[in-house]
Amino acid sequence: MPDDYGAAPKRVTYGFADIGAGKWRSTIDVTDPDDRVRHMVVDFRRDGTAVRGGGDTSEADEAAFISPSPRVLIMNLAKERRPGSVRVYTVSDDGGEMTESAASVTTNGAPMIRRFHYRRLP
């Protein structure tokens, strides 16, 4: 990641749950280096429609999701109606790992893509 992005978190936990009627809930908990936890939640349909998020909105307050295949989810984030970042989540065949590719720009306006790998908690 670029130097101006800040310190890496200690831990990031994602949750994705089918809440019925074609809707899903995503929860994200980011534990910062100082042990402060930022909690975000959003209920969405996987049809590209923008929805407002809840909890910590320091990075984004709206998101749109689409799922072109069962193990791929694309999320587009915005803050105060301005583009934020695009995230692509890919889940392994066995469901035990997830890769996040996040495209955005640095504070200097240069494009960047960062990639993270996650393992399912027992």
Side-chain angles (χ1 to χ4, degrees):
M1 292 190 307
D3 292 337
D4 65 354
Y5 191 75
K10 275 186 171 179
R11 178 182 176 129
V12 179
T13 304
Y14 281 85
F16 295 98
D18 183 341
I19 59 173
K23 292 183 83 173
W24 287 77
R25 176 170 293 143
S26 176
T27 56
I28 303 111
D29 290 308
V30 178
T31 304
D32 292 332
D34 63 0
D35 290 324
R36 184 177 68 106
V37 177
R38 294 181 293 134
H39 176 76
M40 294 142 273
V41 62
V42 61
D43 293 348
F44 63 94
R45 295 185 185 281
R46 297 180 300 172
D47 63 1
T49 303
V51 293
R52 302 225 23 110
D56 184 294
T57 59
S58 60
E59 186 171 351
D61 54 18
E62 280 187 290
F65 298 79
I66 194 163
S67 185
S69 68
R71 291 191 318 270
V72 175
L73 182 69
I74 301 170
M75 176 174 64
N76 187 6
L77 296 173
K79 172 79 172 177
E80 298 173 358
R81 308 298 280 178
R82 295 176 189 238
S85 64
V86 174
R87 315 298 178 88
V88 178
Y89 300 96
T90 307
V91 176
S92 63
D93 290 341
D94 66 3
E97 296 185 19
M98 180 177 77
T99 300
E100 174 190 25
S101 300
S104 60
V105 295
T106 67
T107 56
N108 295 325
M112 73 166 189
I113 299 174
R114 59 191 196 278
R115 182 172 282 168
F116 302 99
H117 297 279
Y118 302 94
R119 292 191 196 326
R120 184 179 295 274
L121 294 173

